[in-house]
Amino acid sequence: MPSPYRALFAAPGSKGFSAAGFLGRMPLSMMGIGVVTMISQLTGRYGLAGALSATIALAAAVAGPQVSRLVDQYGQRRVLRPATLISLTAAALLLFAAHYGWPDWVLFVACVGIGCVPSVGAMIRARWAALYRGTPQLHTAYSFESVVDEVCFVFGPIISIGLSTAWFPEAGPLLAACFLAAGVFWLTAQRATEPEPHPREHKGGGSAMRAPGLQVLVATFVATGAIFGAVDVVTVAFADEEGRKAAASVVLALYAGGSCVAGMIYGLLRFAGAPERRWLLGVCAMAVSMIPLLLVGNLPFLAVALFVAGLSIAPTMITTMSLIEEHVPRAQLTEGMTWVSTGLAVGVALGSSAAGWVIDAAGARAGYGVPAVAGAVAVAVGFLGFRRLKRPAAGRGGSVEQHSERKERHVA
């Protein structure tokens, strides 16, 4: 591990909460695609599979920010454990309903409950911010967490799809639930690194979404999430049409692998310029990378195209976290990070659902038009809201001070 990353773990407790966060985030990449694989195997209905995956994402979009707002007020331990128990109970209901062929409405009810899953990535980033706020190490920490996210997306689909196709259809979502339980309860057992809660009377009330800059980030990432959701569903269907459904996990792993490589390198770099420009460039790169998918003809070509497309994801996400700190009050940092995840979740819901219907109507190749359109929408929203991102609020978060410190060192 390069020395900037190795130095992060000099802080006591950092290894423990990072490892717990890795386990707790595995369901992020396993549950949605696991449900798609499970339902498509049991029923052959990709439209239903996409709709259920979308329901999970939409439920998380509604519940996630509320859970994180409570975390900011009362602390991670007091909030995450009850929320996780609700999600686990709903996951058990989903597995039983799918296995025994219960009515579709039961499946949708269970997926709504699964949406109560907490945003573990935001919880881990909040712990890093508490340790390294106002220092260059925070950029490295966010980069490391983006790499961890992508590692989850490399191995998560492989494990979920592989188990569901080789063992039994419910195996992928079942293991995802086990990872969630282990990760969250291990994380909340580590009290020493838990960020200090900010009771409502001390933060002035209101939602973090009142910040204009955060509104732009969330709106853009709705379209970005549609890219991710559509690519997942269409890739599974494309591999199925090619007669190699299990290969979809490898292809999606390469998509995440490209992001992982880019994120690792990005974390070693130091930037003196405005982060909002790098962010907009990243959004444009993600949109352009969807164009080659329209020409896809076989799985090897698709794998290469998705690996290249993945190179723009992690740098964009890392820069987004820095921008959140500039535009969101420190006492609402966890909520602000979760709102971006919410935007992604809404987009994933829209993208996966739209892709499922397009696949049912016109086939998998036509489905790649969905992420291409979503990329164009993301670029349009990013350009329209760019001015709001150029006006960070003074005294909010940690990156404002961090950028000032870098500027002074650069001038010196």
Side-chain angles (χ1 to χ4, degrees):
M1 184 180 293
S3 57
Y5 290 105
R6 189 166 58 245
L8 287 177
F9 296 99
S14 56
K15 293 179 181 178
F17 73 69
S18 183
F22 173 75
L23 285 181
R25 270 178 289 186
M26 285 296 287
L28 182 66
S29 63
M30 294 178 64
M31 185 60 76
I33 197 67
V35 168
V36 169
T37 307
M38 176 181 69
I39 297 299
S40 64
Q41 280 192 278
L42 292 174
T43 69
R45 298 164 60 189
Y46 277 99
L48 174 63
L52 290 174
S53 178
T55 300
I56 293 175
L58 285 174
V62 174
Q66 312 311 318
V67 172
S68 293
R69 184 183 299 180
L70 293 173
V71 167
D72 282 329
Q73 294 179 41
Y74 302 109
Q76 294 185 2
R77 182 185 178 91
R78 291 181 61 187
V79 177
L80 296 188
R81 290 190 171 188
T84 300
L85 287 175
I86 294 174
S87 183
L88 292 175
T89 302
L93 175 62
L94 175 65
L95 295 181
F96 279 109
H99 181 77
Y100 291 106
W102 294 353
D104 289 353
W105 67 266
V106 179
L107 299 175
F108 282 100
V109 169
C111 288
V112 170
I114 293 174
C116 291
V117 60
S119 178
V120 178
M123 307 304 156
I124 301 301
R125 287 178 172 89
R127 294 196 181 214
W128 284 121
L131 287 175
Y132 292 122
R133 179 175 285 112
T135 70
Q137 283 85 352
L138 189 56
H139 167 77
T140 306
Y142 285 163
S143 300
F144 176 78
E145 289 306 315
S146 291
V147 170
V148 172
D149 284 339
E150 299 311 328
V151 169
C152 291
F153 277 97
V154 168
F155 292 103
I158 293 176
I159 296 171
S160 188
I161 297 175
L163 287 178
S164 291
T165 54
W167 197 5
F168 56 92
E170 301 87 353
L174 175 61
L175 185 59
C178 293
F179 277 136
L180 176 65
V184 170
F185 281 88
W186 184 16
L187 175 66
T188 52
Q190 302 176 46
R191 305 298 298 275
T193 55
E194 182 178 345
E196 180 182 355
H198 300 271
R200 182 175 297 273
E201 60 268 21
H202 293 162
K203 74 172 186 178
S207 171
M209 272 297 289
R210 297 176 64 182
L214 182 61
Q215 294 170 7
V216 175
L217 295 174
V218 172
T220 305
F221 272 80
V222 170
T224 303
I227 295 176
F228 301 154
V231 167
D232 281 353
V233 175
V234 179
T235 300
V236 173
F238 183 83
D240 193 13
E241 287 186 358
E242 295 287 305
R244 300 169 61 188
K245 188 172 184 178
S249 60
V250 178
V251 175
L252 291 174
L254 287 172
Y255 187 33
S259 179
C260 184
V261 170
M264 183 68 75
I265 296 173
Y266 194 79
L268 300 176
L269 305 177
R270 292 292 179 265
F271 301 94
E276 61 270 10
R277 294 180 181 177
R278 296 194 301 275
W279 175 82
L280 186 58
L281 179 62
V283 172
C284 291
M286 281 194 288
V288 171
S289 69
M290 292 296 104
I291 297 175
L293 301 184
L294 298 172
L295 308 175
V296 66
N298 53 61
L299 282 175
F301 179 83
L302 176 62
V304 173
L306 285 178
F307 178 82
V308 174
L311 295 174
S312 59
I313 297 175
T316 307
M317 294 300 298
I318 295 165
T319 308
T320 300
M321 294 304 159
S322 296
L323 287 172
I324 290 172
E325 284 205 284
E326 292 189 1
H327 292 274
V328 173
R330 182 174 299 179
Q332 296 175 298
L333 181 59
T334 307
E335 181 190 349
M337 291 179 176
T338 305
W339 271 114
V340 171
S341 298
T342 294
L344 283 171
V346 171
V348 168
L350 296 174
S352 61
S353 183
W357 294 117
V358 171
I359 292 166
D360 286 343
R365 285 178 174 81
Y368 280 117
V370 176
V373 172
V377 173
V379 171
V381 175
F383 272 103
L384 290 174
F386 183 69
R387 289 187 177 181
R388 292 188 179 188
L389 296 178
K390 296 176 69 175
R391 297 192 296 270
R396 291 190 174 186
S399 287
V400 175
E401 294 83 3
Q402 179 178 337
H403 289 311
S404 299
E405 179 184 337
R406 290 180 189 172
K407 184 176 180 181
E408 290 172 1
R409 291 203 310 271
H410 180 72
V411 172

